[in-house]
Amino acid sequence: MKTLIAYATKRGATKDMAARIAGGLGGADIVDLNGPEAGRVDLSAYGTVVIGASVYAGAYRKSAVAWAKSREAELATKKVALFEIGSAKDALAVRTALPDLCGRAVAVAKLGGEIRWKRLSPLERMIVKAVMKTSGDSSTIDDAAVAAFIGSVREASL
Ligand SMILES: Cc1cc2nc3c(=O)[nH]c(=O)nc-3n(C[C@H](O)[C@H](O)[C@H](O)COP(=O)(O)O)c2cc1C
């Protein structure tokens, strides 16, 4: 059966990671959880659902949490994997946001994050400067973690 990757991004890094994971899996459908198709996506065709979202101020994006909760009954019949995108090395926010789903997921991972300076608002720039001591583009995407995550999803989907 097919794999769906459902993602929620604010500045594009999670969207790019969804595409990267789809490529690593040898193909997957992708849905933007902030787009109009999120509410009407039919999960019956999918055996595996990967959910990914970025973290801001310690919180997994609300649209991903709301979507996962609204599809709880259907997701209970699928293999589920969850990833989060964020620059800090904190504990995983998704484990707090979706504890039950994380408890039965085939993979749960933080894959690092990207600061895309030009896309940040003035307030976001102030926060990044103060907290991360940086004022430009940066990436902490963890290639080994990405490869391990893709491997776990592939294995579970066989
Ligand atoms: C204002 C602000 C707050 C952030 N807070 C966190 C955070 O609490 N934890 C974290 O790991 N990353 C944090 N980040 C980093 C973002 O998660 C990172 O830039 C990520 O790649 C954004 O993904 P997106 O482009 O898909 O939204 C923060 C970034 C900004 C600009």
Side-chain angles (χ1 to χ4, degrees):
M1 281 180 96
K2 293 198 295 178
T3 296
L4 176 72
I5 303 176
Y7 73 89
T9 186
K10 191 172 180 189
R11 303 290 181 219
T14 309
K15 179 181 183 180
D16 291 352
M17 183 56 73
R20 180 171 169 181
I21 292 169
L25 292 172
D29 291 344
I30 298 178
V31 62
D32 177 359
L33 295 180
N34 293 110
E37 68 277 28
R40 52 178 184 254
V41 62
D42 177 7
L43 295 185
S44 61
Y46 301 102
T48 304
V49 178
V50 177
I51 300 171
S54 45
V55 180
Y56 286 81
Y60 202 62
R61 286 195 75 66
K62 280 192 188 124
S63 52
V65 178
W67 184 83
K69 288 185 173 165
S70 74
R71 299 305 188 96
E72 199 177 354
E74 291 160 282
L75 289 173
T77 66
K78 316 284 177 196
K79 284 166 183 160
V80 173
L82 300 116
F83 72 88
E84 71 183 58
I85 294 296
S87 306
K89 288 202 185 298
D90 301 335
L92 271 79
V94 68
R95 288 199 188 278
T96 307
L98 296 167
D100 294 346
L101 213 47
C102 286
R104 56 165 287 262
V106 299
V108 183
K110 186 160 192 172
L111 304 179
E114 289 180 65
I115 297 299
R116 296 176 172 183
W117 189 253
K118 284 191 179 140
R119 297 193 191 177
L120 301 183
S121 68
L123 176 63
E124 287 175 329
R125 287 182 186 183
M126 273 176 56
I127 295 168
V128 167
K129 239 182 189 169
V131 177
M132 299 180 200
K133 316 283 178 217
T134 175
S135 53
D137 289 349
S138 70
S139 173
T140 58
I141 294 294
D142 182 342
D143 293 332
V146 175
F149 183 80
I150 292 170
S152 297
V153 176
R154 278 188 94 113
E155 204 170 298
S157 308
L158 290 176

